[in-house]
């Protein structure tokens, strides 16, 4: 298993809600820096009340860029939940999504957000 680490910036853009306003929708873009030099684009759907810490979301994004000499793309999927003061996040590479030098990639993606708002990632992957 190989590991890529670094930071990323994300820009979230709210768009028209789904299901008569019950489901919020966001488009987002990311810029990955560090071992993974890439850009990402995705869609997030969420429901609940995040202001009081009770919500869930799903997202899918495509990533295009490079790790070292490998260049290509893959997709990531996310499942997040907030409930009674705790948060969970499951984030992984979508099987079968690898393109170019990332054909066959599988793995998991872990993120942390520091107090200053910096987003850090660790991508553990196999090719």
């Amino acid at each position: 298993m190989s590991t890529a680490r670094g930071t990323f910036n994300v820009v979230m853009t709210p768009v028209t809600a789904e299901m008569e306003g019950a489901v919020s929708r966001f488009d987002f873009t990311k810029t990955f820096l560090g071992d993974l030099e890439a850009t990402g684009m995705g869609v997030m759907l969420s429901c609940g009340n995040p202001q009081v810490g009770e919500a869930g979301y799903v997202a899918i994004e495509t990533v295009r860029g490079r790790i070292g000499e490998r260049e290509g793309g893959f997709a990531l999927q996310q499942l997040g939940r907030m409930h009674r003061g705790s948060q969970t996040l499951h984030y992984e590479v979508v099987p079968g999504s690898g393109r170019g030098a990332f054909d066959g990639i599988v793995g998991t993606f872990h993120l942390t957000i520091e107090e200053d708002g910096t987003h850090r990632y660790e991508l553990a992957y196999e090719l």
Side-chain angles (χ1 to χ4, degrees):
M1 180 95 31
S2 298
T3 304
R5 293 180 181 87
T7 61
F8 67 89
N9 300 313
V10 61
V11 176
M12 303 285 291
T13 305
V15 294
T16 304
E18 303 287 338
M19 299 178 177
E20 299 177 350
V23 176
S24 298
R25 180 182 169 149
F26 300 86
D27 290 344
F28 61 90
T29 59
K30 290 182 180 173
T31 303
F32 295 90
L33 305 168
D35 296 333
L36 172 62
E37 296 176 359
T39 57
M41 297 185 320
V43 175
M44 175 186 289
L45 301 174
S46 67
C47 194
N49 189 346
Q51 291 78 13
V52 300
E54 298 288 323
Y57 81 91
V58 294
I60 194 118
E61 65 186 286
T62 58
V63 177
R64 292 185 185 273
R66 69 175 46 243
I67 299 174
E69 298 299 315
R70 293 184 182 274
E71 189 168 345
F74 55 90
L76 294 168
Q77 63 185 15
Q78 303 174 45
L79 171 65
R81 179 178 180 248
M82 298 167 37
H83 180 62
R84 296 186 179 168
S86 70
Q87 297 182 27
T88 58
L89 176 62
H90 184 72
Y91 208 148
E92 67 182 37
V93 175
V94 175
S97 68
R99 301 291 179 260
F102 294 114
D103 185 42
I105 190 172
V106 294
T108 58
F109 190 93
H110 179 74
L111 79 87
T112 56
I113 303 173
E114 297 180 356
E115 287 184 30
D116 67 0
T118 301
H119 288 66
R120 296 198 175 278
Y121 69 84
E122 183 174 288
L123 172 63
Y125 66 96
E126 288 183 20
L127 288 166

